[in-house]
Amino acid sequence: TQRYNNEIYKTANMPGVAVGLAWTYVGGDILFIETALSDGGKGELKLTGNLGNVMKESATTALSYLQSNAKKYNIEPETFNKKNIHIHIPEGATPKDGPSAGITMLTSLASAFTGRKVKSYLAMTGEITLRGQVLPVGGIKEKVLAAKRAGIREIIMCYLNEKDVNEIDAEFIKGVHFHYVKTMQHVLEIALT
Amino acid sequence: TQRYNNEIYKTANMPGVAVGLAWTYVGGDILFIETALSDGGKGELKLTGNLGNVMKESATTALSYLQSNAKKYNIEPETFNKKNIHIHIPEGATPKDGPSAGITMLTSLASAFTGRKVKSYLAMTGEITLRGQVLPVGGIKEKVLAAKRAGIREIIMCYLNEKDVNEIDAEFIKGVHFHYVKTMQHVLEIALT
Amino acid sequence: TQRYNNEIYKTANMPGVAVGLAWTYVGGDILFIETALSDGGKGELKLTGNLGNVMKESATTALSYLQSNAKKYNIEPETFNKKNIHIHIPEGATPKDGPSAGITMLTSLASAFTGRKVKSYLAMTGEITLRGQVLPVGGIKEKVLAAKRAGIREIIMCYLNEKDVNEIDAEFIKGVHFHYVKTMQHVLEIALT
Amino acid sequence: TQRYNNEIYKTANMPGVAVGLAWTYVGGDILFIETALSDGGKGELKLTGNLGNVMKESATTALSYLQSNAKKYNIEPETFNKKNIHIHIPEGATPKDGPSAGITMLTSLASAFTGRKVKSYLAMTGEITLRGQVLPVGGIKEKVLAAKRAGIREIIMCYLNEKDVNEIDAEFIKGVHFHYVKTMQHVLEIALT
Amino acid sequence: TQRYNNEIYKTANMPGVAVGLAWTYVGGDILFIETALSDGGKGELKLTGNLGNVMKESATTALSYLQSNAKKYNIEPETFNKKNIHIHIPEGATPKDGPSAGITMLTSLASAFTGRKVKSYLAMTGEITLRGQVLPVGGIKEKVLAAKRAGIREIIMCYLNEKDVNEIDAEFIKGVHFHYVKTMQHVLEIALT
Amino acid sequence: TQRYNNEIYKTANMPGVAVGLAWTYVGGDILFIETALSDGGKGELKLTGNLGNVMKESATTALSYLQSNAKKYNIEPETFNKKNIHIHIPEGATPKDGPSAGITMLTSLASAFTGRKVKSYLAMTGEITLRGQVLPVGGIKEKVLAAKRAGIREIIMCYLNEKDVNEIDAEFIKGVHFHYVKTMQHVLEIALT
Ligand SMILES: [Ca+2]
Ligand SMILES: [Ca+2]
Ligand SMILES: [Ca+2]
Ligand SMILES: [Ca+2]
Ligand SMILES: [Ca+2]
Ligand SMILES: [Ca+2]
Ligand SMILES: [Ca+2]
Ligand SMILES: [Ca+2]
Ligand SMILES: [Ca+2]
Ligand SMILES: [Ca+2]
Ligand SMILES: [Ca+2]
Ligand SMILES: [Ca+2]
């Protein structure tokens, strides 16, 4: 978990990159979720990084939400049919699955489509629904501690996960600010600069 | 099963969302079924939410029924070839299968295509047939009790399931109104506002 | 096997529905086979209802036979390239397989394409060949008794299965009329009204 | 193996039907191979009848041979891109595999494309190559005896299988005439009327 | 291994056929690799003959090499997009895999595309690379002895396999001439007449 | 590991070839990664050489990076939609997987698309990210020793792998120069001539 120090984190501060929190077989970890768009496409979605089916479905759901709400986020609707979309999560040697990267995938996509960078030192975890809600997820304690170790300063999650944060010893997470949200719109208001 | 309290339920009262009843390995539960339509499509149907093959077939059957009966429900037939259709069922960590979400999927689709919201505090369970019938399903007691706990006030099911409801202790389901139906047309008359 | 009483049977007396006989792990049963056509298609065939590969191949074979013999049955040949075709067999919780639904699938397809309803209280069982023959199938006793219990009054099968019917105690099948056939043309002459 | 008596055999004496010899888990048997062509196609090949991968590859190889040698057999080359082609082998309950139906598949295809019927009471067995050769196959004794029982009067096979026929007791195959061939061209000269 | 005697070998001396050497579970053997081209295609590659994935990849690699070097071999580049290509390896009952048929597949393809026959009584074995090299393969002793038994007079292989030939007792391979090569260009200079 | 001596290495000094380092079940090894482009394509990516899914995803990621950064490397963006792209890794008998060939795949692709050869006697190992970073990988000691044995003189890897090189006995790697990098842009500056 100390592989990504702040130095690497800073080298690629560009639109399309968001930080998620995962709970893998080695404990909590942070995940960089990267989205690249390319021209001459037809809205095809490529997903790489050793992702399981549930995680792939999260990406599909995030994309459908963004497409259905394009105008709200000042994205030209036709863009979705003109670009090819590639979402990649590095560290291909580690299998990754589960729905908890959903809101991070949405943030990565929204950042790429709007050209607005994601706020620095921000991470997030939460399942996404097609109608724009953020659902609670598991493994909060391990995820939050991993985020703290990696230098993260703000974390977004579902308001129903607040009780899980309250169970963590306060001195372990000193200096980390938490955002408890209900909707994806709220996530993007916090995350996009 | 207490994850969805009324507060979440109310946050997304929009067309395309219907509430079904499921019987999972943790007992009865309610399922939110979400449909989003997007432009520039060709009638492609995307299904996400960790669904098994039988549940995916239910969605296909519901869509064919709606398409074959488009005029009856005031839907332009060409719409089916111009939109892409995404049906999602949240809580991706839980595998879901079986035919009993069929009528809920139809209701979610019909709501999205007509723009008419589904009645609040209404849930339903039942298999769908291509010619417009509602078939009985199993697990009625567990499903009904879960619906009651979640604040549901009306439930639609096949008239052949009435005997299963009659076996539940009446005080457990006080205040819940039951609609026993034979046809999908009847389901939509009750469900769409 | 008493799930479909006569009442449900009668609620959907429309073109595209035919009754077959199956032999599942719970014994003989009747199967409703439903075909729906929709416009704006390209001859694509959708098959749902938890069908195994052999049963899916039967549907493909039935469709090819009907297409090759379109003129004989007064169907416009171009119709096959303009419609999408969906065959569904309800009761998705039960896996279904084997070739014995072949002639029922043909009848369901022919009924949908011609708009002629299938005769009431008629069931059938038999494998189909591409050149228009009806082949004998197994499980005749169990299938016939299930049909009788469900209120079926006429049954079509291959003439080579007559010996299997003769082994059933006559009083069990009193009032059921049997049609022993060699060809699919004969099946459709009996079945389509 | 007595399922197909002569009566069924004669009911469908039409182009596109050829008789092969198979060696299944119940011993030798005869196989009817049926080809149907339909208009409005794009040269797509459908294969049904519970066929294994090797048998499917035989059909593909037979079709490529016929297409490459279309002129030799007076077939318009463009026909292959205008028709859809369906090869079916009845008795879907029995899995079928192996390369030995290759020359029968070629004969069935050539009969359908030329409109010339296959000679009556003729069967055949042999692997096909893309360059027009007939290769020897196994199970000759069982296949030949099954053909005799079914009323077959002539059998085509590779000349390298002649030694296998010579090992069969002559009185068992009295009245059956054998054609030993090297090439597919020879097969079609014998088989097509 | 004595199935293909010289007589069969000579019956189909046409462009598109090349002889490879394989090492199957019954020992060394020769393989006929056949390529047929057909018009009205779009560069699709069909592979049949019970081939494993590595062998299929060899065919793909051979085709890409030929396409990238079309001009060097006097092939019109557009040909690759106008023809359908079928590579078949007879004896479908035997599963075949591994990279050692690569240069034989290239030779078969090059022969079909140029219309130049492959030299008689010539066999070859070797892995192919995309940049035109021939790599050494295993099982040389068994392959060479099988080729000798089948009447092969010349064999092409990678120069790094020369040491494997030198370990074979000289009297066993009397009369067989060996070509040790580094490049596919060299293979085709020897093989195409 | 002595299969590729310098002689083979030099025979194909052409654009599109790069040398990677792998860690297979027989220890460290070098891998030649070959890219060939062909006309008349539509940006399709073919991958051969017995590659596992994670390695295939690396190739997809490398291609997306190159496409998103086409202008930076003087590649016409439309080229990606006009060419077919084939990446092959020889020695098809050996299964290959893992993310560590990512930067070598990028280099092979960039070389093919720019027409600039890769520097001689250079190898590399490292995971690639979509936003242009080089990530550290495992097995450094075995890979470096295999590179030395094969005559490699320069090796590129992530700066976070420098500590792994420092643990190797200096006399084993005398004469090998190491480049420690953070970005793919740096990799290509070193690798492309
Ligand atoms: Ca990590
Ligand atoms: Ca996350
Ligand atoms: Ca729940
Ligand atoms: Ca339901
Ligand atoms: Ca039933
Ligand atoms: Ca039936
Ligand atoms: Ca039989
Ligand atoms: Ca045969
Ligand atoms: Ca052989
Ligand atoms: Ca070979
Ligand atoms: Ca090696
Ligand atoms: Ca590498």
Side-chain angles (χ1 to χ4, degrees):
Chain A
T1 61
Q2 52 193 8
R3 182 171 276 179
Y4 286 112
N5 51 22
N6 285 342
E7 197 171 0
I8 279 196
Y9 185 37
K10 277 178 284 183
T11 58
N13 192 9
M14 56 173 57
V17 183
V19 181
L21 300 177
W23 192 27
T24 72
Y25 59 88
V26 295
D29 200 0
I30 69 170
L31 289 180
F32 287 78
I33 297 185
E34 311 176 316
T35 296
L37 306 178
S38 57
D39 290 325
K42 3 180 207 288
E44 195 192 329
L45 176 60
K46 257 180 282 185
L47 297 167
T48 54
N50 207 348
L51 314 185
N53 285 335
V54 170
M55 199 177 239
K56 285 178 178 167
E57 290 191 346
S58 284
T60 305
T61 305
L63 181 59
S64 284
Y65 171 79
L66 195 65
Q67 190 167 4
S68 297
N69 294 274
K71 282 172 194 165
K72 184 189 294 182
Y73 300 112
N74 291 313
I75 305 170
E76 279 293 306
E78 308 87 69
T79 319
F80 292 92
N81 296 318
K82 284 195 242 154
K83 300 280 187 182
N84 279 322
I85 306 158
H86 187 155
I87 298 177
H88 178 68
I89 308 185
E91 303 195 56
T94 308
K96 308 168 190 77
D97 209 350
S100 78
I103 63 168
T104 322
M105 285 169 148
L106 172 67
T107 302
S108 172
L109 282 167
S111 169
F113 272 101
T114 61
R116 293 163 64 188
K117 290 185 193 171
V118 177
K119 205 174 179 184
S120 295
Y121 305 107
L122 169 73
M124 65 192 73
T125 186
E127 182 173 341
I128 195 173
T129 81
L130 203 46
R131 82 202 107 125
Q133 293 169 305
V134 177
L135 300 188
V137 296
I140 290 298
K141 184 179 179 186
E142 292 80 359
K143 288 171 171 176
V144 164
L145 295 180
K148 167 75 174 162
R149 280 193 306 271
I152 294 297
R153 298 177 197 161
E154 292 176 81
I155 300 176
I156 304 174
M157 60 181 68
C158 177
Y159 75 103
L160 290 171
N161 277 129
E162 182 169 5
K163 67 179 191 322
D164 303 305
V165 173
N166 291 338
E167 289 171 3
I168 308 175
D169 189 331
E171 73 190 294
F172 290 162
I173 51 176
K174 204 165 54 183
V176 180
H177 180 72
F178 293 88
H179 301 270
Y180 300 112
V181 303
K182 288 183 182 173
T183 66
M184 301 201 281
Q185 185 170 353
H186 195 180
V187 172
L188 295 182
E189 281 164 10
I190 298 166
L192 297 184
T193 57
Chain B
T1 60
Q2 52 193 8
R3 182 172 275 180
Y4 285 106
N5 52 21
N6 285 343
E7 198 171 359
I8 278 198
Y9 185 38
K10 277 177 284 183
T11 58
N13 192 9
M14 57 173 56
V17 184
V19 181
L21 301 177
W23 193 26
T24 71
Y25 59 88
V26 295
D29 200 0
I30 69 170
L31 288 180
F32 287 77
I33 297 185
E34 310 175 316
T35 297
L37 306 178
S38 57
D39 290 324
K42 4 180 207 291
E44 195 192 329
L45 177 60
K46 255 180 283 184
L47 296 167
T48 54
N50 207 347
L51 314 184
N53 285 333
V54 170
M55 200 176 239
K56 285 178 178 168
E57 290 191 347
S58 285
T60 305
T61 305
L63 182 59
S64 284
Y65 170 79
L66 195 64
Q67 190 166 5
S68 296
N69 294 274
K71 283 172 193 163
K72 186 188 292 180
Y73 300 112
N74 291 314
I75 304 170
E76 279 293 306
E78 308 89 68
T79 319
F80 292 91
N81 296 317
K82 284 194 242 155
K83 299 280 187 182
N84 279 321
I85 305 158
H86 188 156
I87 298 177
H88 178 69
I89 308 184
E91 301 195 56
T94 308
K96 308 168 189 78
D97 208 350
S100 79
I103 64 168
T104 321
M105 284 168 148
L106 172 67
T107 303
S108 172
L109 281 167
S111 169
F113 273 100
T114 61
R116 293 163 62 189
K117 289 185 192 171
V118 177
K119 204 173 179 184
S120 295
Y121 306 108
L122 168 74
M124 64 192 73
T125 186
E127 182 173 341
I128 194 172
T129 81
L130 204 46
R131 81 202 107 123
Q133 293 169 306
V134 177
L135 300 188
V137 297
I140 290 298
K141 184 179 177 185
E142 292 80 359
K143 289 171 171 174
V144 165
L145 295 180
K148 167 74 174 162
R149 279 194 305 272
I152 294 296
R153 298 177 196 160
E154 292 175 80
I155 300 176
I156 305 174
M157 61 180 68
C158 177
Y159 76 103
L160 290 171
N161 277 130
E162 181 168 6
K163 67 180 191 322
D164 303 306
V165 173
N166 292 337
E167 288 170 5
I168 307 175
D169 189 331
E171 73 189 295
F172 290 162
I173 51 177
K174 204 165 54 182
V176 179
H177 180 72
F178 292 89
H179 301 270
Y180 301 111
V181 303
K182 288 183 181 173
T183 66
M184 301 201 282
Q185 185 170 353
H186 195 179
V187 172
L188 295 182
E189 282 164 10
I190 297 165
L192 297 185
T193 56
Chain C
T1 60
Q2 52 193 7
R3 183 173 275 180
Y4 285 106
N5 52 21
N6 286 342
E7 197 171 1
I8 278 198
Y9 185 38
K10 277 177 285 184
T11 57
N13 192 10
M14 56 172 58
V17 183
V19 180
L21 301 177
W23 193 28
T24 71
Y25 59 88
V26 296
D29 200 0
I30 69 170
L31 289 180
F32 288 77
I33 297 185
E34 311 176 314
T35 297
L37 306 177
S38 56
D39 290 325
K42 5 180 208 288
E44 195 192 330
L45 177 59
K46 255 180 283 183
L47 296 166
T48 54
N50 207 347
L51 314 184
N53 285 334
V54 169
M55 200 175 239
K56 285 178 178 169
E57 290 192 347
S58 285
T60 305
T61 304
L63 181 59
S64 284
Y65 170 80
L66 195 65
Q67 190 166 6
S68 297
N69 294 275
K71 282 172 194 164
K72 185 188 295 183
Y73 300 112
N74 291 314
I75 304 170
E76 279 294 307
E78 308 87 70
T79 320
F80 292 92
N81 297 317
K82 284 195 243 154
K83 299 280 187 182
N84 279 322
I85 305 157
H86 188 155
I87 299 177
H88 178 69
I89 308 185
E91 301 195 58
T94 308
K96 308 168 189 79
D97 209 351
S100 79
I103 63 170
T104 321
M105 283 168 148
L106 173 67
T107 303
S108 171
L109 282 167
S111 170
F113 273 100
T114 60
R116 294 164 61 191
K117 290 184 193 172
V118 178
K119 205 173 177 183
S120 295
Y121 306 108
L122 169 74
M124 65 191 73
T125 186
E127 181 173 342
I128 195 173
T129 82
L130 204 45
R131 82 202 106 123
Q133 293 168 305
V134 176
L135 300 188
V137 296
I140 291 297
K141 184 178 177 186
E142 292 79 359
K143 289 171 172 175
V144 165
L145 295 180
K148 168 75 174 162
R149 280 193 305 271
I152 295 296
R153 298 176 197 163
E154 292 175 81
I155 299 177
I156 305 175
M157 60 180 70
C158 177
Y159 76 103
L160 291 171
N161 276 130
E162 181 168 7
K163 67 180 191 322
D164 303 305
V165 173
N166 292 338
E167 287 171 5
I168 307 174
D169 188 331
E171 74 188 294
F172 290 162
I173 51 177
K174 204 164 55 183
V176 179
H177 180 70
F178 292 89
H179 302 270
Y180 300 111
V181 303
K182 289 183 181 172
T183 65
M184 300 200 283
Q185 185 170 353
H186 196 178
V187 172
L188 295 182
E189 282 164 9
I190 298 166
L192 297 184
T193 56
Chain D
T1 60
Q2 53 193 7
R3 183 172 275 179
Y4 284 106
N5 52 20
N6 286 341
E7 198 172 0
I8 279 197
Y9 185 39
K10 276 176 285 183
T11 56
N13 192 8
M14 57 172 58
V17 183
V19 181
L21 301 177
W23 193 27
T24 71
Y25 60 87
V26 295
D29 200 0
I30 69 170
L31 288 181
F32 288 78
I33 297 184
E34 313 175 314
T35 297
L37 305 178
S38 56
D39 290 325
K42 5 181 208 287
E44 196 193 330
L45 176 60
K46 256 179 283 183
L47 297 167
T48 54
N50 207 347
L51 314 184
N53 284 335
V54 170
M55 200 175 239
K56 285 178 178 168
E57 290 192 346
S58 285
T60 305
T61 304
L63 181 59
S64 284
Y65 170 80
L66 196 65
Q67 190 166 4
S68 297
N69 293 274
K71 283 173 194 164
K72 186 189 291 181
Y73 300 112
N74 291 315
I75 304 170
E76 279 294 306
E78 307 87 70
T79 320
F80 292 91
N81 297 317
K82 284 194 243 153
K83 299 280 187 181
N84 280 322
I85 305 158
H86 188 157
I87 299 178
H88 178 69
I89 308 185
E91 301 194 57
T94 309
K96 308 168 189 79
D97 208 351
S100 78
I103 65 169
T104 321
M105 283 170 149
L106 172 67
T107 303
S108 172
L109 281 167
S111 170
F113 272 100
T114 60
R116 294 163 61 190
K117 288 184 193 172
V118 178
K119 207 174 176 182
S120 294
Y121 306 107
L122 170 73
M124 65 191 72
T125 186
E127 182 173 341
I128 196 172
T129 81
L130 204 45
R131 82 202 108 123
Q133 293 170 305
V134 177
L135 299 188
V137 296
I140 291 296
K141 184 177 177 185
E142 292 80 359
K143 288 170 173 175
V144 165
L145 295 180
K148 168 75 174 161
R149 280 193 305 272
I152 294 297
R153 297 176 196 161
E154 291 175 83
I155 299 176
I156 305 175
M157 60 180 70
C158 178
Y159 76 103
L160 290 170
N161 276 129
E162 181 169 6
K163 66 180 193 321
D164 303 307
V165 173
N166 292 339
E167 288 171 6
I168 307 175
D169 190 332
E171 74 188 294
F172 290 163
I173 52 177
K174 206 165 53 182
V176 179
H177 180 71
F178 292 88
H179 301 271
Y180 300 112
V181 304
K182 288 184 183 172
T183 65
M184 301 200 284
Q185 185 169 354
H186 196 178
V187 172
L188 295 182
E189 281 163 10
I190 297 166
L192 297 184
T193 58
Chain E
T1 61
Q2 53 193 7
R3 182 172 275 180
Y4 284 108
N5 53 20
N6 286 342
E7 199 171 358
I8 279 197
Y9 185 37
K10 277 176 287 184
T11 56
N13 192 9
M14 58 173 56
V17 184
V19 181
L21 300 177
W23 194 27
T24 71
Y25 60 88
V26 295
D29 201 359
I30 68 170
L31 288 181
F32 288 78
I33 297 184
E34 312 176 316
T35 298
L37 305 178
S38 57
D39 290 324
K42 5 181 205 292
E44 196 193 329
L45 176 61
K46 257 180 280 184
L47 297 166
T48 54
N50 207 347
L51 314 184
N53 284 335
V54 171
M55 200 175 239
K56 285 178 178 168
E57 290 191 345
S58 285
T60 305
T61 305
L63 181 59
S64 283
Y65 171 79
L66 196 65
Q67 191 167 4
S68 297
N69 294 274
K71 283 173 194 163
K72 186 188 292 182
Y73 300 112
N74 292 314
I75 304 170
E76 280 294 307
E78 308 86 71
T79 320
F80 291 92
N81 296 317
K82 284 194 242 155
K83 300 281 186 182
N84 279 322
I85 305 158
H86 187 157
I87 299 177
H88 177 69
I89 307 185
E91 302 195 57
T94 309
K96 309 167 189 78
D97 208 350
S100 77
I103 63 169
T104 321
M105 283 169 149
L106 172 67
T107 303
S108 172
L109 282 168
S111 170
F113 272 100
T114 61
R116 294 164 62 189
K117 289 183 193 171
V118 177
K119 207 173 177 183
S120 294
Y121 306 108
L122 169 73
M124 66 192 72
T125 187
E127 182 172 342
I128 195 172
T129 80
L130 204 45
R131 80 202 109 125
Q133 293 169 305
V134 177
L135 299 189
V137 297
I140 291 296
K141 186 179 177 183
E142 292 79 0
K143 288 171 171 173
V144 165
L145 295 180
K148 168 74 174 163
R149 280 193 306 271
I152 294 297
R153 298 176 197 161
E154 292 175 82
I155 299 176
I156 304 174
M157 60 181 67
C158 178
Y159 75 103
L160 290 171
N161 277 130
E162 182 169 6
K163 67 179 193 322
D164 303 307
V165 173
N166 292 339
E167 288 170 4
I168 308 176
D169 189 333
E171 74 189 294
F172 290 163
I173 52 176
K174 206 164 54 182
V176 179
H177 180 71
F178 292 89
H179 301 271
Y180 300 112
V181 303
K182 287 183 183 171
T183 65
M184 300 200 283
Q185 185 169 354
H186 196 180
V187 172
L188 295 182
E189 282 163 10
I190 297 166
L192 297 184
T193 58
Chain F
T1 61
Q2 53 193 6
R3 181 172 277 178
Y4 284 106
N5 53 21
N6 286 341
E7 199 172 359
I8 280 197
Y9 184 37
K10 277 176 284 183
T11 57
N13 192 9
M14 57 174 56
V17 183
V19 181
L21 301 177
W23 193 27
T24 72
Y25 59 88
V26 296
D29 200 359
I30 68 169
L31 289 180
F32 287 78
I33 296 185
E34 311 176 315
T35 297
L37 306 179
S38 56
D39 291 325
K42 4 180 205 290
E44 196 192 329
L45 177 60
K46 257 181 281 186
L47 297 167
T48 55
N50 207 348
L51 314 184
N53 285 334
V54 170
M55 199 176 240
K56 285 178 178 168
E57 290 191 345
S58 285
T60 304
T61 305
L63 182 58
S64 283
Y65 171 79
L66 196 65
Q67 191 166 5
S68 297
N69 294 275
K71 283 172 193 165
K72 185 188 294 183
Y73 300 112
N74 292 314
I75 304 169
E76 279 293 306
E78 308 86 70
T79 319
F80 291 92
N81 296 318
K82 284 195 243 156
K83 300 280 186 183
N84 280 322
I85 305 158
H86 187 157
I87 298 177
H88 177 68
I89 308 185
E91 303 194 58
T94 308
K96 307 167 191 78
D97 209 350
S100 78
I103 64 168
T104 321
M105 284 169 148
L106 172 68
T107 303
S108 172
L109 282 167
S111 170
F113 272 100
T114 60
R116 294 164 63 189
K117 289 185 194 172
V118 177
K119 206 173 178 183
S120 295
Y121 306 107
L122 169 73
M124 65 192 73
T125 187
E127 182 172 341
I128 195 172
T129 81
L130 203 46
R131 80 201 109 125
Q133 293 169 305
V134 177
L135 300 188
V137 297
I140 290 297
K141 185 180 177 183
E142 292 79 359
K143 288 171 172 175
V144 165
L145 295 179
K148 168 75 173 163
R149 280 193 307 271
I152 294 297
R153 298 177 197 161
E154 292 175 81
I155 299 176
I156 304 173
M157 60 181 68
C158 178
Y159 76 103
L160 290 170
N161 278 130
E162 183 169 4
K163 66 178 193 322
D164 303 305
V165 173
N166 291 338
E167 289 170 3
I168 308 176
D169 189 333
E171 74 189 295
F172 290 162
I173 52 175
K174 204 165 54 183
V176 179
H177 180 72
F178 293 88
H179 301 270
Y180 300 112
V181 303
K182 287 182 182 172
T183 65
M184 300 200 282
Q185 186 170 352
H186 195 180
V187 172
L188 295 182
E189 282 164 10
I190 297 167
L192 297 184
T193 58

